Amino acid sequence: SQVLEVFSGKLKNKVSFIVSNPPYLASKSEVDSDVLSHEPKLALFAPAHDALYFYRKIVDHADEFLENQGMVFLE
């Protein structure tokens, strides 16, 4: 998965948990202008057609990185 590829081949062992606050906003109208001026757009906006894109990708591929009974925490 492109979302978790940063971990591919870099973890020696599976992990106990994954914690993420992925982007989920669809448009600039959902964000205060002060936030827009200080936060990278990549940290705020999901693809326009799928606000839950990053959540779905993390959940779909978490088992590749999690040990048995590992957990995913998403904000």
Side-chain angles (χ1 to χ4, degrees), residues 4-72:
L4 295 173
E5 75 181 7
V6 68
F7 299 113
S8 294
K10 295 185 173 115
L11 297 177
K12 293 181 182 180
N13 300 304
K14 290 193 173 196
V15 298
S16 299
F17 55 88
I18 295 172
V19 178
S20 182
N21 180 13
Y24 59 89
L25 299 173
S27 73
K28 291 181 181 181
S29 66
E30 298 178 73
V31 185
D32 185 87
S33 62
D34 190 47
V35 173
L36 278 175
S37 66
H38 291 94
E39 294 292 333
K41 288 179 179 43
L42 287 173
L44 298 173
F45 299 103
H49 65 281
D50 186 0
L52 297 177
Y53 173 83
F54 293 103
Y55 290 82
R56 200 170 1 275
K57 291 295 183 181
I58 291 167
V59 171
D60 288 349
H61 296 280
D63 62 334
E64 298 171 34
F65 303 98
L66 289 173
E67 55 191 32
N68 288 339
Q69 298 186 17
M71 301 177 82
V72 175

